[in-house]
PDB file of all heavy atoms in Angstrom:
ATOM      1  N   TRP B 256      20.008  19.210 -50.073  1.00  0.00           N
ATOM      2  CA  TRP B 256      20.319  19.250 -48.643  1.00  0.00           C
ATOM      3  C   TRP B 256      20.300  20.707 -48.194  1.00  0.00           C
ATOM      4  O   TRP B 256      20.871  21.594 -48.858  1.00  0.00           O
ATOM      5  CB  TRP B 256      21.691  18.654 -48.352  1.00  0.00           C
ATOM      6  CG  TRP B 256      21.760  17.159 -48.366  1.00  0.00           C
ATOM      7  CD1 TRP B 256      22.160  16.364 -49.402  1.00  0.00           C
ATOM      8  CD2 TRP B 256      21.435  16.271 -47.288  1.00  0.00           C
ATOM      9  NE1 TRP B 256      22.107  15.036 -49.031  1.00  0.00           N
ATOM     10  CE2 TRP B 256      21.669  14.953 -47.740  1.00  0.00           C
ATOM     11  CE3 TRP B 256      20.976  16.460 -45.982  1.00  0.00           C
ATOM     12  CZ2 TRP B 256      21.453  13.830 -46.930  1.00  0.00           C
ATOM     13  CZ3 TRP B 256      20.766  15.348 -45.194  1.00  0.00           C
ATOM     14  CH2 TRP B 256      21.005  14.058 -45.659  1.00  0.00           C
ATOM     15  N   TYR B 257      19.680  20.922 -47.020  1.00  0.00           N
ATOM     16  CA  TYR B 257      19.647  22.232 -46.384  1.00  0.00           C
ATOM     17  C   TYR B 257      20.057  22.068 -44.921  1.00  0.00           C
ATOM     18  O   TYR B 257      19.956  20.982 -44.350  1.00  0.00           O
ATOM     19  CB  TYR B 257      18.235  22.838 -46.412  1.00  0.00           C
ATOM     20  CG  TYR B 257      17.676  23.155 -47.776  1.00  0.00           C
ATOM     21  CD1 TYR B 257      17.037  22.178 -48.538  1.00  0.00           C
ATOM     22  CD2 TYR B 257      17.757  24.440 -48.297  1.00  0.00           C
ATOM     23  CE1 TYR B 257      16.504  22.472 -49.795  1.00  0.00           C
ATOM     24  CE2 TYR B 257      17.217  24.751 -49.544  1.00  0.00           C
ATOM     25  CZ  TYR B 257      16.602  23.759 -50.281  1.00  0.00           C
ATOM     26  OH  TYR B 257      16.071  24.063 -51.515  1.00  0.00           O
ATOM     27  N   ARG B 258      20.453  23.167 -44.333  1.00  0.00           N
ATOM     28  CA  ARG B 258      20.783  23.180 -42.907  1.00  0.00           C
ATOM     29  C   ARG B 258      19.950  24.279 -42.246  1.00  0.00           C
ATOM     30  O   ARG B 258      19.764  25.358 -42.813  1.00  0.00           O
ATOM     31  CB  ARG B 258      22.274  23.472 -42.709  1.00  0.00           C
ATOM     32  CG  ARG B 258      22.701  23.606 -41.262  1.00  0.00           C
ATOM     33  CD  ARG B 258      24.199  23.707 -41.135  1.00  0.00           C
ATOM     34  NE  ARG B 258      24.748  24.978 -41.589  1.00  0.00           N
ATOM     35  CZ  ARG B 258      26.032  25.300 -41.499  1.00  0.00           C
ATOM     36  NH1 ARG B 258      26.896  24.428 -40.987  1.00  0.00           N
ATOM     37  NH2 ARG B 258      26.446  26.470 -41.931  1.00  0.00           N
ATOM     38  N   GLN B 259      19.484  23.998 -41.034  1.00  0.00           N
ATOM     39  CA  GLN B 259      18.700  24.988 -40.299  1.00  0.00           C
ATOM     40  C   GLN B 259      19.217  25.056 -38.880  1.00  0.00           C
ATOM     41  O   GLN B 259      19.007  24.131 -38.077  1.00  0.00           O
ATOM     42  CB  GLN B 259      17.206  24.642 -40.314  1.00  0.00           C
ATOM     43  CG  GLN B 259      16.336  25.721 -39.684  1.00  0.00           C
ATOM     44  CD  GLN B 259      14.873  25.457 -39.887  1.00  0.00           C
ATOM     45  OE1 GLN B 259      14.420  24.313 -39.930  1.00  0.00           O
ATOM     46  NE2 GLN B 259      14.086  26.523 -40.019  1.00  0.00           N
ATOM     47  N   ARG B 260      19.864  26.150 -38.572  1.00  0.00           N
ATOM     48  CA  ARG B 260      20.330  26.372 -37.204  1.00  0.00           C
ATOM     49  C   ARG B 260      19.142  26.824 -36.352  1.00  0.00           C
ATOM     50  O   ARG B 260      18.136  27.327 -36.864  1.00  0.00           O
ATOM     51  CB  ARG B 260      21.442  27.406 -37.187  1.00  0.00           C
ATOM     52  CG  ARG B 260      22.741  26.900 -37.803  1.00  0.00           C
ATOM     53  CD  ARG B 260      23.871  27.836 -37.463  1.00  0.00           C
ATOM     54  NE  ARG B 260      25.158  27.249 -37.766  1.00  0.00           N
ATOM     55  CZ  ARG B 260      25.977  27.729 -38.687  1.00  0.00           C
ATOM     56  NH1 ARG B 260      25.611  28.777 -39.412  1.00  0.00           N
ATOM     57  NH2 ARG B 260      27.148  27.174 -38.902  1.00  0.00           N
ATOM     58  N   GLY B 264      16.366  30.493 -40.564  1.00  0.00           N
ATOM     59  CA  GLY B 264      15.788  29.923 -41.770  1.00  0.00           C
ATOM     60  C   GLY B 264      16.700  28.847 -42.346  1.00  0.00           C
ATOM     61  O   GLY B 264      17.759  28.549 -41.809  1.00  0.00           O
ATOM     62  N   LEU B 265      16.280  28.250 -43.433  1.00  0.00           N
ATOM     63  CA  LEU B 265      17.047  27.176 -44.045  1.00  0.00           C
ATOM     64  C   LEU B 265      18.180  27.738 -44.902  1.00  0.00           C
ATOM     65  O   LEU B 265      18.010  28.724 -45.599  1.00  0.00           O
ATOM     66  CB  LEU B 265      16.154  26.313 -44.935  1.00  0.00           C
ATOM     67  CG  LEU B 265      15.353  25.232 -44.239  1.00  0.00           C
ATOM     68  CD1 LEU B 265      14.198  25.810 -43.456  1.00  0.00           C
ATOM     69  CD2 LEU B 265      14.844  24.219 -45.252  1.00  0.00           C
ATOM     70  N   GLU B 266      19.328  27.082 -44.835  1.00  0.00           N
ATOM     71  CA  GLU B 266      20.473  27.414 -45.685  1.00  0.00           C
ATOM     72  C   GLU B 266      20.687  26.276 -46.676  1.00  0.00           C
ATOM     73  O   GLU B 266      20.808  25.128 -46.274  1.00  0.00           O
ATOM     74  CB  GLU B 266      21.751  27.529 -44.863  1.00  0.00           C
ATOM     75  CG  GLU B 266      21.772  28.518 -43.734  1.00  0.00           C
ATOM     76  CD  GLU B 266      23.040  28.321 -42.911  1.00  0.00           C
ATOM     77  OE1 GLU B 266      24.145  28.621 -43.418  1.00  0.00           O
ATOM     78  OE2 GLU B 266      22.930  27.808 -41.777  1.00  0.00           O
ATOM     79  N   PHE B 267      20.766  26.609 -47.932  1.00  0.00           N
ATOM     80  CA  PHE B 267      21.039  25.611 -48.961  1.00  0.00           C
ATOM     81  C   PHE B 267      22.476  25.101 -48.834  1.00  0.00           C
ATOM     82  O   PHE B 267      23.401  25.882 -48.597  1.00  0.00           O
ATOM     83  CB  PHE B 267      20.841  26.235 -50.340  1.00  0.00           C
ATOM     84  CG  PHE B 267      21.403  25.430 -51.476  1.00  0.00           C
ATOM     85  CD1 PHE B 267      20.739  24.307 -51.934  1.00  0.00           C
ATOM     86  CD2 PHE B 267      22.592  25.794 -52.081  1.00  0.00           C
ATOM     87  CE1 PHE B 267      21.249  23.568 -52.994  1.00  0.00           C
ATOM     88  CE2 PHE B 267      23.112  25.068 -53.131  1.00  0.00           C
ATOM     89  CZ  PHE B 267      22.440  23.956 -53.589  1.00  0.00           C
ATOM     90  N   LEU B 268      22.652  23.802 -48.975  1.00  0.00           N
ATOM     91  CA  LEU B 268      23.988  23.215 -48.926  1.00  0.00           C
ATOM     92  C   LEU B 268      24.422  22.678 -50.291  1.00  0.00           C
ATOM     93  O   LEU B 268      25.452  23.067 -50.835  1.00  0.00           O
ATOM     94  CB  LEU B 268      24.022  22.077 -47.898  1.00  0.00           C
ATOM     95  CG  LEU B 268      23.785  22.463 -46.438  1.00  0.00           C
ATOM     96  CD1 LEU B 268      23.769  21.220 -45.559  1.00  0.00           C
ATOM     97  CD2 LEU B 268      24.830  23.453 -45.957  1.00  0.00           C
ATOM     98  N   PRO B 283      29.516  24.831 -46.562  1.00  0.00           N
ATOM     99  CA  PRO B 283      30.229  25.876 -45.812  1.00  0.00           C
ATOM    100  C   PRO B 283      31.732  25.671 -45.708  1.00  0.00           C
ATOM    101  O   PRO B 283      32.456  26.651 -45.498  1.00  0.00           O
ATOM    102  CB  PRO B 283      29.561  25.832 -44.440  1.00  0.00           C
ATOM    103  CG  PRO B 283      29.007  24.452 -44.324  1.00  0.00           C
ATOM    104  CD  PRO B 283      28.626  24.028 -45.688  1.00  0.00           C
ATOM    105  N   PHE B 287      32.540  19.358 -45.265  1.00  0.00           N
ATOM    106  CA  PHE B 287      31.221  18.880 -45.681  1.00  0.00           C
ATOM    107  C   PHE B 287      31.329  18.260 -47.079  1.00  0.00           C
ATOM    108  O   PHE B 287      31.931  18.851 -47.985  1.00  0.00           O
ATOM    109  CB  PHE B 287      30.212  20.030 -45.740  1.00  0.00           C
ATOM    110  CG  PHE B 287      29.784  20.543 -44.403  1.00  0.00           C
ATOM    111  CD1 PHE B 287      30.643  21.284 -43.616  1.00  0.00           C
ATOM    112  CD2 PHE B 287      28.496  20.297 -43.927  1.00  0.00           C
ATOM    113  CE1 PHE B 287      30.255  21.771 -42.376  1.00  0.00           C
ATOM    114  CE2 PHE B 287      28.095  20.783 -42.692  1.00  0.00           C
ATOM    115  CZ  PHE B 287      28.966  21.520 -41.924  1.00  0.00           C
ATOM    116  N   GLU B 307      29.658  24.520 -34.105  1.00  0.00           N
ATOM    117  CA  GLU B 307      28.815  25.340 -34.982  1.00  0.00           C
ATOM    118  C   GLU B 307      28.105  24.512 -36.054  1.00  0.00           C
ATOM    119  O   GLU B 307      27.252  25.034 -36.780  1.00  0.00           O
ATOM    120  CB  GLU B 307      29.625  26.450 -35.658  1.00  0.00           C
ATOM    121  CG  GLU B 307      30.740  25.964 -36.548  1.00  0.00           C
ATOM    122  CD  GLU B 307      32.075  25.987 -35.839  1.00  0.00           C
ATOM    123  OE1 GLU B 307      32.101  25.829 -34.600  1.00  0.00           O
ATOM    124  OE2 GLU B 307      33.090  26.144 -36.536  1.00  0.00           O
ATOM    125  N   ASP B 308      28.452  23.239 -36.151  1.00  0.00           N
ATOM    126  CA  ASP B 308      27.745  22.360 -37.084  1.00  0.00           C
ATOM    127  C   ASP B 308      26.405  21.888 -36.509  1.00  0.00           C
ATOM    128  O   ASP B 308      25.597  21.290 -37.231  1.00  0.00           O
ATOM    129  CB  ASP B 308      28.589  21.124 -37.424  1.00  0.00           C
ATOM    130  CG  ASP B 308      29.908  21.473 -38.099  1.00  0.00           C
ATOM    131  OD1 ASP B 308      29.982  22.548 -38.731  1.00  0.00           O
ATOM    132  OD2 ASP B 308      30.866  20.687 -37.976  1.00  0.00           O
ATOM    133  N   ALA B 310      22.819  21.636 -35.803  1.00  0.00           N
ATOM    134  CA  ALA B 310      21.698  22.164 -36.580  1.00  0.00           C
ATOM    135  C   ALA B 310      20.788  20.994 -36.945  1.00  0.00           C
ATOM    136  O   ALA B 310      21.114  19.830 -36.692  1.00  0.00           O
ATOM    137  CB  ALA B 310      22.186  22.846 -37.860  1.00  0.00           C
ATOM    138  N   VAL B 311      19.656  21.334 -37.556  1.00  0.00           N
ATOM    139  CA  VAL B 311      18.828  20.309 -38.191  1.00  0.00           C
ATOM    140  C   VAL B 311      19.200  20.279 -39.669  1.00  0.00           C
ATOM    141  O   VAL B 311      19.229  21.315 -40.330  1.00  0.00           O
ATOM    142  CB  VAL B 311      17.329  20.612 -38.027  1.00  0.00           C
ATOM    143  CG1 VAL B 311      16.491  19.579 -38.794  1.00  0.00           C
ATOM    144  CG2 VAL B 311      16.940  20.599 -36.552  1.00  0.00           C
ATOM    145  N   TYR B 312      19.504  19.100 -40.169  1.00  0.00           N
ATOM    146  CA  TYR B 312      19.869  18.926 -41.570  1.00  0.00           C
ATOM    147  C   TYR B 312      18.665  18.335 -42.302  1.00  0.00           C
ATOM    148  O   TYR B 312      18.191  17.250 -41.970  1.00  0.00           O
ATOM    149  CB  TYR B 312      21.112  18.062 -41.695  1.00  0.00           C
ATOM    150  CG  TYR B 312      22.334  18.801 -41.216  1.00  0.00           C
ATOM    151  CD1 TYR B 312      22.635  18.864 -39.857  1.00  0.00           C
ATOM    152  CD2 TYR B 312      23.145  19.490 -42.101  1.00  0.00           C
ATOM    153  CE1 TYR B 312      23.730  19.587 -39.398  1.00  0.00           C
ATOM    154  CE2 TYR B 312      24.251  20.211 -41.658  1.00  0.00           C
ATOM    155  CZ  TYR B 312      24.531  20.259 -40.307  1.00  0.00           C
ATOM    156  OH  TYR B 312      25.607  20.983 -39.860  1.00  0.00           O
ATOM    157  N   LEU B 313      18.175  19.078 -43.276  1.00  0.00           N
ATOM    158  CA  LEU B 313      16.959  18.709 -43.991  1.00  0.00           C
ATOM    159  C   LEU B 313      17.282  18.296 -45.415  1.00  0.00           C
ATOM    160  O   LEU B 313      18.109  18.917 -46.090  1.00  0.00           O
ATOM    161  CB  LEU B 313      15.979  19.884 -44.012  1.00  0.00           C
ATOM    162  CG  LEU B 313      15.364  20.225 -42.655  1.00  0.00           C
ATOM    163  CD1 LEU B 313      14.996  21.691 -42.591  1.00  0.00           C
ATOM    164  CD2 LEU B 313      14.134  19.374 -42.399  1.00  0.00           C
TER     165      LEU B 313
END
Side-chain angles (χ1 to χ4, degrees):
Chain B
W256 283 97
Y257 295 85
R258 176 172 72 176
Q259 186 172 33
R260 290 193 167 115
L265 277 74
E266 303 171 69
F267 166 77
L268 296 177
F287 288 72
E307 61 262 29
D308 299 335
V311 176
Y312 289 82
L313 291 152

